[in-house]
Amino acid sequence: MAQEVLTEDQQQTFQESFNLFDRTGSGAIEPPTLPNLLRAVGLNPTNDHLSQLFQKYPSEKAIDYDTFLQIYHWLKPQCQTNMQDFIQAFQVFDKEGNGYISAGELRYVLTSLGDRLEESEVDDLLKAAKVDSNGLVQYQEFVKFICSQ
């Protein structure tokens, strides 16, 4: 499968992002910063993706820009989760079919199923989520918000 060709704007954004994570100016980043860099350029790798990544690319050596691009192109197809998949997952908890689930159910899903989040991570997400006066979250908007981060 052919690699996606990055636009000029993407190339500039990627290079600027990489440079921000290259704290020493050496032209390479330390492996522990890679997940945050990937998130900064729009990927949201799961813990499983990261485990696979560090098997394929050993984590004991610094990562230069070309290697980062290889990693991005390798990982991008694996991180392409359709927003609709997330929305369908939340629909299971939408008993009234009105597009809302309770903040408690959302917390349960995020801390108990799939790639489990820590309570503190969920707290941060719920602060950013629009919880109405009845303690409900419109999950389609929540998914859009999460996917845009």
Side-chain angles (χ1 to χ4, degrees):
M1 184 161 123
Q3 283 188 359
E4 164 194 9
V5 176
L6 298 176
T7 66
E8 198 170 307
D9 284 344
Q10 285 176 311
Q11 290 174 18
Q12 182 177 352
T13 299
F14 282 30
Q15 186 67 62
E16 288 172 358
S17 297
F18 185 87
N19 291 343
L20 287 173
F21 284 86
D22 177 10
R23 293 194 173 99
T24 63
S26 66
I29 62 166
E30 293 302 315
T33 64
L34 181 62
N36 290 333
L37 174 56
L38 291 168
R39 289 181 188 100
V41 296
L43 296 183
N44 192 16
T46 63
N47 290 336
D48 187 46
H49 291 140
L50 294 174
S51 294
Q52 291 174 30
L53 173 69
F54 287 122
Q55 286 177 1
K56 185 171 175 71
Y57 296 93
S59 62
E60 58 274 351
K61 28 188 274 200
I63 299 166
D64 64 19
Y65 183 71
D66 289 336
T67 303
F68 160 67
L69 288 178
Q70 290 173 9
I71 290 169
Y72 173 84
H73 287 296
W74 174 78
L75 195 56
K76 185 176 180 189
Q78 298 178 57
C79 291
Q80 296 289 322
T81 303
N82 188 335
M83 275 199 308
Q84 196 60 37
D85 293 340
F86 286 119
I87 291 169
Q88 287 175 346
F90 285 123
Q91 283 174 337
V92 170
F93 297 92
D94 180 7
K95 294 173 182 64
E96 280 113 37
N98 61 4
Y100 289 86
I101 61 173
S102 75
E105 287 172 319
L106 182 58
R107 177 179 294 280
Y108 170 76
V109 170
L110 296 174
T111 59
S112 304
L113 305 175
D115 267 345
R116 295 176 180 98
L117 298 178
E118 298 293 324
E119 290 288 338
S120 61
E121 293 172 310
V122 175
D123 290 341
D124 291 341
L125 289 175
L126 288 175
K127 285 178 191 170
K130 295 177 182 168
V131 180
D132 71 13
S133 60
N134 296 319
L136 299 175
V137 176
Q138 185 185 38
Y139 54 86
Q140 288 185 345
E141 291 301 315
F142 179 74
V143 169
K144 286 178 188 174
F145 169 74
I146 296 301
C147 289
S148 70
Q149 296 302 303

